[in-house]
């Protein structure tokens, strides 16, 4: 049942018609629990609140299915605005973005042009930028873009997904670049030809890449709500005497907020991924796919109205 629901919501997340419809109607169906708002002003308010609780942030201007140059440029402009707002308000926040919204599906020139514009402004304002990882069909291209950018910019990192078979090789290969990586389980529906279908295998691979990347001496963001993985990381860093400034935990806005505070109080850097913008639909569907309890929460919200 859980697997069917997951497939259903991941299927919905790719629907371009619903994405466009949602864009027009604004945050609905309880999406506000996971998305900070439509505008940068609303996002800034949320970041200030999280920062006041000693939680760091990575801010994401939502965007998916960008298929023309103008729109990609507009998304890049919004990310630049977000960087300027982070700097203007002295926020403890980084930036996250998706390469498809910067024009990855249009051409390499466009995505590189937009990324360089963003990284120049981010560099000037001391803001770190993480390139999110999307579905498997974009994984190789994303890593290629990241490698090219990393040669010129220090303030860029990317994401590696534990559910892919190729992941250990990617960690090994990327080690040459001493990258700051966010490690996650992976949020898309992938074929068993490319990804572990079994949760246990994903978790084991997750642990193994956390260990590899930390022992390679690279900065590691462990992005998960899973206590088993968090506990594994705590024991690992203790065993190998890895200091707290070589890694951080990350969680999504609206998910396990009490746990976020606990980890911060234990002395770990805790960063919250805060999405905002009109393109909330695909992001929201992926959150529903992850956890049936999230669906129950949404249904309760709708029935209460
Ligand atoms: P999982 O969903 O397996 O949950 C494991 C356990 O965590 C549960 O059994 C439960 O104990 C606990 N838990 C989870 N949610 C809970 C809740 N709401 N309340 C209480 N307990 C809960 N993916 C991707 O493909 N590309 C990307 O770029 C990113 N980026 C990203 C950034 C950040 C900061 C995060 C946290 C995640 C991502 N992801 C991502 C998403 C990621 O791949 C994954 O889909 C989700 O984090 C869910 O997986 P978990 O590791 O949280 O464990």
């Amino acid at each position: 049942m859980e697997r069917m629901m997951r497939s259903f919501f991941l299927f919905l997340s790719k629907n371009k018609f619903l994405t466009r419809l949602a864009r027009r109607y604004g945050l609905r169906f309880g999406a506000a629990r996971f998305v900070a708002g439509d505008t940068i002003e609303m996002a800034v308010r949320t970041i200030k609140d999280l920062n006041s609780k000693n939680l760091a942030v990575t801010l994401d201007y939502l965007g998916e299915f960008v298929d023309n140059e103008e729109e990609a440029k507009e998304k890049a402009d919004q990310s630049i605005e977000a960087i300027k707002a982070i700097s203007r308000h002295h926020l403890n926040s980084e930036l996250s973005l998706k390469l498809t919204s910067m024009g990855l599906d249009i051409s390499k020139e466009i995505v590189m042009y937009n990324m360089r514009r963003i990284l120049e402004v981010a560099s000037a304002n001391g803001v770190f930028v993480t390139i999110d990882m999307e579905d498997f069909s974009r994984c190789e291209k994303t890593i290629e873009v990241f490698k090219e950018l990393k040669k010129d910019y220090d303030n860029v990192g990317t994401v590696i997904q534990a559910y892919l078979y190729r992941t250990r090789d990617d960690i090994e290969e990327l080690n040459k670049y001493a990258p700051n990586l966010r490690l996650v389980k992976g949020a898309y529906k992938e074929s068993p030809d490319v990804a572990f279908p079994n949760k246990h295998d994903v978790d084991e691979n997750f642990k193994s890449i956390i260990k590899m990347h930390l022992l390679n001496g690279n900065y590691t963001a462990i992005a998960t709500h899973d206590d088993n993985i968090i506990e594994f990381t705590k024991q690992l860093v203790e065993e190998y005497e890895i200091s707290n400034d070589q890694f951080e935990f990350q969680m999504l806005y609206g998910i396990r907020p009490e746990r976020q505070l606990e980890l911060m109080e234990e002395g770990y850097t805790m960063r919250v991924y805060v999405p905002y913008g009109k393109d909330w639909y695909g992001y929201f569907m992926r959150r529903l796919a992850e956890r049936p309890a999230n669906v129950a929460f949404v249904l309760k919200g709708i029935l209460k109205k």
Side-chain angles (χ1 to χ4, degrees):
M1 181 67 182
E2 206 171 316
R3 204 171 270 196
M4 266 170 59
M5 274 179 63
R6 180 173 153 79
S7 295
F8 174 64
F9 283 108
L10 289 178
F11 169 74
L12 285 182
S13 75
K14 290 187 180 165
N15 189 298
K16 292 189 185 182
F17 172 72
L18 292 175
T19 300
R20 296 208 169 100
L21 201 69
R23 216 176 269 166
R24 262 201 267 146
Y25 289 103
L27 289 183
R28 296 281 162 98
F29 311 122
R33 177 185 163 183
F34 303 109
V35 177
D38 282 356
T39 62
I40 183 69
E41 289 76 21
M42 291 166 100
V44 166
R45 243 176 280 147
T46 300
I47 300 174
K48 282 186 176 167
D49 179 51
L50 292 165
N51 283 174
S52 74
K53 296 171 182 154
N54 288 326
L55 297 168
V57 165
T58 182
L59 178 63
D60 171 41
Y61 178 66
L62 292 164
E64 307 197 25
F65 304 125
V66 170
D67 50 20
N68 68 73
E69 197 173 333
E70 261 322 289
E71 207 182 336
K73 188 172 171 297
E74 191 266 331
K75 299 277 183 206
D77 290 343
Q78 293 288 346
S79 290
I80 290 171
E81 280 315 304
I83 292 166
K84 290 182 179 166
I86 289 171
S87 173
R88 196 167 54 247
H89 293 277
H90 307 290
L91 302 173
N92 177 1
S93 181
E94 300 182 346
L95 187 86
S96 288
L97 51 77
K98 291 192 172 30
L99 287 188
T100 50
S101 65
M102 299 300 136
L104 186 73
D105 293 346
I106 309 170
S107 79
K108 177 96 179 270
E109 289 73 46
I110 290 167
V111 78
M112 291 308 287
Y113 168 73
N114 282 325
M115 284 307 294
R116 285 185 188 282
R117 284 200 303 137
I118 291 170
L119 288 171
E120 285 298 326
V121 180
S123 239
N125 287 282
V127 173
F128 190 84
V129 178
T130 298
I131 301 172
D132 286 352
M133 189 56 77
E134 300 177 68
D135 62 303
F136 180 75
S137 68
R138 276 111 179 178
C139 178
E140 183 65 35
K141 282 198 272 181
T142 302
I143 290 178
E144 286 312 312
V145 169
F146 166 70
K147 284 181 185 169
E148 215 168 309
L149 292 169
K150 184 74 171 83
K151 287 181 198 149
D152 296 332
Y153 301 94
D154 264 348
N155 59 326
V156 63
T158 190
V159 177
I160 292 292
Q161 297 153 321
Y163 63 12
L164 297 182
Y165 301 135
R166 58 176 284 163
T167 282
R168 282 178 61 90
D169 293 339
D170 286 334
I171 296 275
E172 193 75 57
E173 155 71 15
L174 286 173
N175 189 33
K176 289 180 211 148
Y177 298 77
N180 173 332
L181 293 180
R182 173 194 302 154
L183 307 181
V184 300
K185 290 193 186 181
Y188 296 82
K189 185 167 170 50
E190 301 295 359
S191 146
D193 294 342
V194 299
F196 294 103
N198 188 306
K199 182 175 158 41
H200 175 76
D201 293 332
V202 177
D203 289 356
E204 289 309 303
N205 204 37
F206 199 4
K207 290 178 191 167
S208 95
I209 59 170
I210 292 169
K211 186 170 179 181
M212 266 174 94
H213 199 57
L214 278 172
L215 296 191
N216 281 342
N218 298 312
Y219 193 86
T220 309
I222 299 100
T224 185
H225 313 98
D226 189 336
D227 280 332
N228 287 327
I229 304 289
I230 293 168
E231 221 31 64
F232 167 83
T233 307
K234 286 184 184 177
Q235 282 171 19
L236 184 79
V237 296
E238 201 180 313
E239 186 182 344
Y240 289 92
E241 297 180 357
I242 294 168
S243 81
N244 281 9
D245 58 15
Q246 201 200 313
F247 72 98
E248 65 186 46
F249 291 112
Q250 296 188 352
M251 290 193 193
L252 302 175
Y253 177 64
I255 301 189
R256 305 200 74 190
E258 346 61 47
R259 192 74 184 104
Q260 296 172 10
L261 289 171
E262 275 170 25
L263 286 164
M264 179 277 295
E265 273 155 17
E266 286 171 40
Y268 301 106
T269 301
M270 178 75 231
R271 190 176 303 281
V272 184
Y273 184 105
V274 174
Y276 77 101
K278 291 191 191 329
D279 258 342
W280 52 275
Y281 171 80
Y283 177 86
F284 182 46
M285 289 299 129
R286 285 195 293 280
R287 300 298 75 82
L288 296 187
E290 269 156 22
R291 200 170 155 81
N294 289 341
V295 182
F297 162 84
V298 167
L299 288 176
K300 257 191 255 158
I302 293 171
L303 292 175
K304 253 196 241 158
K305 282 185 184 161

